[in-house]
């Protein structure tokens, strides 16, 4: 496929690097030979919706399938722990796929790897609808995840191509408004599909969604990484780039904090169908409504972060608040699940889950923005490491939530609390938000690396 095509998106990204000065950064200059990159072109509504759709694809692939998990368990005559591996395999595929596709997009541009990954995703999802056994479904979901990784890793890299500083944090919050609707509508759609078809119908719908998104990307999303800004070298160069990124303590701290926070989220995603439906007796439709309500909380707080907090409150302060709330909600869930205060009903558990999910709106966009602000020279590789850490930690957490069977929510709450504490430890111990930070070394460092998180654009959130 060609790298260019019909496009309403900018054909080239800015080449100027963020200023380390705490004063407002000037608008980025266009790459040599490129047309001026105006704010209107960067924030075109169609481009925003395309990037939102790409970031929504992974949760859509997960969450539309959630109401069908008990039915899959019965239909394929497999235990719940085995069926939960269909989630784990998809998540692991998305994690590993990002490690490959992210560096590929730094070398060959964003468009070709994205279109290739989307095409394979559509094929793999169609095959999932035909899986005759749990083992084959696990294998096909792995392939689906490997291909679908292109959507989320390249969407983040495109944002890094087009935005700097706090504008990037704001745009991530805007994407959350779009992509966050996926967890709301996906279980609702999945629940309704199950009224008219079996679990295989869910994958038929996902195939149609993936095909439609692929066509829109092909027609309307242009290349954002011009040839002069692409990485050179082969696999060795890509590995050296990733090693350099991981060697930066602050970048690694934000990456791990975001990964463990995502594990809190995914432990809820993996366990909630059984907790809500099997333990508390809710119907698939009632579960879908509760799941959607929690996602509304996440979107609302994400918009508060992007519209009200960014530019007024330090990104690190907003992130610290989110981590504190997640930890407190996890403690409450563990106490209720263990029966410390007597048997808790569904309303109390649902309220704690709502608070936990809502606080993710402060954590996820700010960890992404703070990490990517340090990596203008390798946005694809940095995006891959961010996504891989999140998905791998989530894949490890997923089987643990069902380790004690389907009759207790204690494992879910325990995993959530453990991962919350680990996220806090990484944020405080590695990011050290109270200290002034040195710019990250790397290609373009000195002009391209983002400077200290305190007293600078990266951490203060100052416009």
């Amino acid at each position: 496929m060609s790298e260019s095509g019909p496009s309403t998106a900018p054909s080239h990204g800015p080449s100027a690097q963020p200023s380390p000065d705490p004063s407002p950064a000037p608008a980025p200059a266009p790459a040599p030979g490129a047309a001026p990159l105006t704010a209107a072109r960067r924030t075109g509504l169609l481009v925003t919706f395309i990037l939102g759709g790409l970031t929504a694809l992974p949760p859509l692939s997960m969450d539309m399938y959630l109401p069908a998990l008990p039915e899959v368990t019965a239909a394929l005559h497999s235990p719940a722990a085995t069926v939960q591996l269909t989630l784990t395999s998809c998540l692991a595929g998305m994690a590993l796929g990002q490690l490959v596709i992210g560096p590929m997009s730094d070398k060959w541009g964003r468009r070709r790897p994205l279109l290739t990954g989307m095409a394979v995703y559509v094929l793999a999802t169609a095959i999932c609808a035909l899986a005759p056994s749990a083992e084959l479904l696990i294998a096909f979901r792995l392939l689906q995840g490997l291909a679908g990784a292109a959507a989320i890793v390249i969407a983040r890299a495109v944002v890094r191509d087009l935005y700097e500083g706090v504008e990037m944090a704001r745009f991530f919050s805007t994407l959350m408004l779009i992509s966050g609707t996926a967890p709301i509508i996906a279980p609702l759609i999945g629940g309704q599909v199950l009224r008219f078809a079996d679990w295989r119908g869910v994958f038929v719908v996902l195939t149609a969604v993936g095909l439609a998104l692929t066509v829109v990307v092909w027609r309307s999303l242009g290349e954002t990484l011009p040839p002069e800004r692409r990485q050179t070298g082969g696999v060795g160069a890509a590995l050296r780039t990733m090693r350099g990124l991981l060697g930066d303590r602050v970048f690694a701290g934000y990456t791990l904090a975001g990964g463990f926070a995502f594990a809190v989220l995914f432990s809820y995603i993996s366990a909630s169908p059984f907790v809500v439906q099997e333990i508390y007796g809710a119907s698939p439709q009632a579960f879908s409504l509760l799941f959607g309500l929690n996602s509304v909380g996440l979107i609302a707080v994400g918009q508060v972060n992007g519209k009200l907090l960014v530019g007024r409150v330090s990104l690190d302060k907003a992130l610290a608040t989110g981590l504190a709330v997640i930890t407190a909600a996890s403690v409450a869930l563990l106490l209720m699940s263990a029966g410390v205060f007597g048997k808790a009903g569904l309303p109390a558990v649902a309220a704690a889950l709502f608070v936990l999910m809502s606080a993710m709106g402060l954590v996820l966009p700010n960890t992404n923005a703070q990490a990517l602000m340090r990596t203008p020279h390798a946005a694809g590789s940095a995006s891959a490491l961010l996504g891989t850490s999140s998905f791998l930690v989530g894949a490890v957490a997923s089987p643990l939530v069902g380790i004690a069977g389907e009759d207790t929510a204690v494992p879910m709450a325990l995993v959530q609390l453990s991962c919350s504490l680990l996220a806090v430890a990484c944020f405080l111990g590695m990011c050290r938000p109270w200290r002034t930070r040195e710019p990250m070394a790397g290609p373009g460092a000195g002009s391209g690396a983002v400077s200290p998180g305190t007293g600078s654009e990266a951490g203060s959130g100052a416009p």
Side-chain angles (χ1 to χ4, degrees), residues 242-326:
M242 288 191 173
R243 185 170 65 246
L245 293 172
L246 291 175
D248 179 66
R249 173 179 49 78
V250 179
F251 173 82
Y254 284 120
T255 299
L256 289 174
F260 284 118
F262 185 83
V264 176
L265 175 64
F266 195 73
S267 64
Y268 158 73
I269 292 174
S270 181
S272 59
F274 297 98
V275 170
V276 175
Q277 295 181 75
E278 302 297 331
I279 297 177
Y280 292 99
S283 67
Q285 289 72 35
F287 162 73
S288 299
L289 289 173
L290 287 175
F291 196 95
L293 180 63
N294 290 340
S295 299
V296 168
L298 186 151
I299 293 172
V301 174
Q303 294 314 292
V304 169
N305 176 74
K307 305 300 183 184
L308 298 180
L309 300 183
V310 172
R312 296 179 176 87
V313 177
S314 162
L315 299 185
D316 280 332
K317 289 181 180 178
L319 174 55
T321 301
L323 290 174
V325 173
I326 289 171

Side-chain angles (χ1 to χ4, degrees), residues 1 10 21 33 42 81 112 131 137 160 187 196 199 217 225-226 243 279 282 336-337 339 392 401 423 429-430 443:
M1 298 180 185
D21 189 85
R42 285 192 303 174
R112 282 189 296 176
L137 181 59
R160 186 62 188 91
F196 305 101
W199 62 271
V217 167
L225 187 68
R243 185 170 65 246
I279 297 177
M336 286 188 288
S337 301
L392 280 181
V401 299
M430 300 176 70

Side-chain angles (χ1 to χ4, degrees), residues 393-463:
V393 176
V396 171
S398 174
L400 298 178
V401 299
I403 199 168
E406 304 171 27
D407 300 323
T408 176
V410 169
M412 178 190 75
L414 191 58
V415 169
Q416 289 172 335
L417 179 57
S418 300
C419 291
S420 298
L421 293 173
L422 287 170
V424 171
C426 291
F427 174 61
L428 296 178
M430 300 176 70
C431 301
R432 301 175 188 175
W434 59 87
R435 292 187 179 181
T436 298
R437 299 171 188 150
E438 294 297 325
M440 180 178 178
S447 64
V450 174
S451 66
T454 56
S456 79
E457 175 180 292
S460 67

